[in-house]
Amino acid sequence: MNKVVTLSEAVTTIPSGSHVAVSGFAITRCTMAFASEVIRQGIKNLTVSQCVGAMDADLLVGGGAVERLLYGGGSLDRFGRLSCVNRGIEDGTLIAEEHSSLSMAFRYMAGALGLPFIPIRSLRGSDILKRLQQVAPSATAYVKDPFTGDEWLALRPLKPDVAVVQVQVADPEGNAWIIGPRWDNEEQVKASQRTIVIAERIVPTEMIRREPERTVIPGFRVSHVVHLPFSAHPTSVYRAYDYDADHIRLYAEAAKTPDGMRAYLDKYVYGVKDHWEYLEKVGGMKHLDSLTADAILGY
């Protein structure tokens, strides 16, 4: 079954108030075109989750699409902090459930395995746990080990309404490869009700079948497939293209203030009709070709 649709069509299926898990990690494999389209369509009150906070989540927060963020810390790597996320926490417009990265991965894993809860040691005695219990008291509980009688901290599983995952390769049915680091993406997909795959390349299903061990996301978990080259720009996609350092610097500076962020959104999100116009605005194919990965190095 061919599941290929436009980005706009895929985003339209996400109602306001949904829980969306996104695949980005700092400035790598972020769902940037997706985030911009969500903002353009005026989708609001989202719960967004990801293991390590990244540029896609920061853009969604800056665009006013997010009510609650679940994440395990994060940054724009060497380019600075997640300014929109931090500002939202400071001014009270964003509910932030701050975890450790490990505890986020555990919560996705519990959802993926269909568990009612998952025990964890690492949060006990931490300020992270104290804050989490204040902001989201239903996210944690204590249980007794039936074998030893020891008390354990337990985490509620995460079950997002939809996972949105940036991948290098997929077929029209949604079978997808993630080349390089996967982080928590596989568990995100398994924990979610459905998945939207955004792929740099679409290949025939027979090519996927030649190397079935490379399929990280099976098609039966996927509701929509979007073919959109450079859809993670300005972040990187391993073996496809490097991050755009100049544009990330531009974003990081703009995001420091509400006025700067509004100007960025007006130019690069609201000021373009779609992803293709955005790519022209950031320099077109001549600029994008300079970011294309070396076939040997992968970046």
Side-chain angles (χ1 to χ4, degrees), residues 39-81:
I39 296 166
R40 276 193 292 269
Q41 291 195 19
I43 297 170
K44 303 289 186 182
N45 303 319
L46 295 177
T47 292
V48 171
S49 63
Q50 61 186 168
C51 194
V52 172
M55 191 172 180
D56 45 7
D58 198 62
L59 178 59
L60 284 165
V61 171
V66 183
E67 178 181 32
R68 182 179 294 265
L69 177 65
L70 289 71
Y71 73 129
S75 71
L76 297 179
D77 205 272
R78 67 187 181 91
F79 298 98
R81 63 181 193 157

Side-chain angles (χ1 to χ4, degrees), residues 5 8-9 54 64 84 98 108 120 133 150 154 195 244 263 269 282 299:
V5 298
S8 177
E9 290 169 334
C84 295
E98 298 177 274
Y108 284 129
I120 189 170
Q133 289 172 330
D150 293 342
T195 299
D244 187 337
V269 178
V282 299
Y299 57 88

Side-chain angles (χ1 to χ4, degrees), residues 14 78 87 96 105 130 168 189 230 293:
I14 300 175
R78 67 187 181 91
R87 185 164 54 250
K130 291 178 183 177
Q168 287 90 343
V189 167
F230 290 97

Side-chain angles (χ1 to χ4, degrees), residues 35-245:
S36 292
E37 185 61 26
V38 165
I39 296 166
R40 276 193 292 269
Q41 291 195 19
I43 297 170
K44 303 289 186 182
N45 303 319
L46 295 177
T47 292
V48 171
S49 63
Q50 61 186 168
C51 194
V52 172
M55 191 172 180
D56 45 7
D58 198 62
L59 178 59
L60 284 165
V61 171
V66 183
E67 178 181 32
R68 182 179 294 265
L69 177 65
L70 289 71
Y71 73 129
S75 71
L76 297 179
D77 205 272
R78 67 187 181 91
F79 298 98
R81 63 181 193 157
L82 301 176
S83 293
C84 295
V85 169
N86 290 353
R87 185 164 54 250
I89 295 171
E90 291 163 2
D91 64 22
T93 58
L94 176 68
I95 302 168
E97 296 185 25
E98 298 177 274
H99 297 65
S100 66
S101 299
L102 178 64
S103 59
M104 281 297 298
F106 269 40
R107 293 190 70 184
Y108 284 129
M109 183 181 292
L113 294 173
L115 299 176
F117 60 86
I118 191 167
I120 189 170
R121 289 187 187 275
S122 68
L123 287 180
R124 297 196 72 163
S126 69
D127 287 341
I128 292 176
L129 177 59
K130 291 178 183 177
R131 173 65 176 164
L132 186 60
Q133 289 172 330
Q134 293 171 357
V135 175
S138 65
T140 64
Y142 292 93
V143 297
K144 183 177 287 189
D145 183 333
F147 301 104
T148 67
D150 293 342
E151 185 181 66
W152 278 80
L153 174 65
L155 302 175
R156 181 186 290 272
L158 286 176
K159 301 177 182 178
D161 296 307
V162 58
V164 182
V165 184
Q166 194 81 28
V167 305
Q168 287 90 343
V169 179
D171 71 6
E173 297 178 7
N175 300 294
W177 295 351
I178 297 177
I179 303 169
R182 301 175 187 175
W183 310 301
D184 56 328
N185 293 168
E186 190 171 357
E187 286 72 31
Q188 283 179 323
V189 167
K190 291 177 179 177
S192 299
Q193 300 301 306
R194 65 186 179 97
T195 299
I196 295 172
V197 163
I198 303 176
E200 296 293 328
R201 293 182 61 194
I202 299 292
V203 299
T205 299
E206 62 187 46
M207 181 174 177
I208 297 289
R209 288 175 176 168
R210 290 175 193 167
E211 301 178 85
E213 71 280 2
R214 300 184 70 179
T215 300
V216 176
I217 303 173
F220 73 86
R221 296 190 182 276
V222 176
S223 62
H224 299 81
V225 178
V226 177
H227 178 211
L228 204 61
F230 290 97
S231 46
H233 181 275
T235 70
S236 66
V237 175
Y238 180 58
R239 292 201 175 278
Y241 46 88
D242 207 346
Y243 59 76
D244 187 337

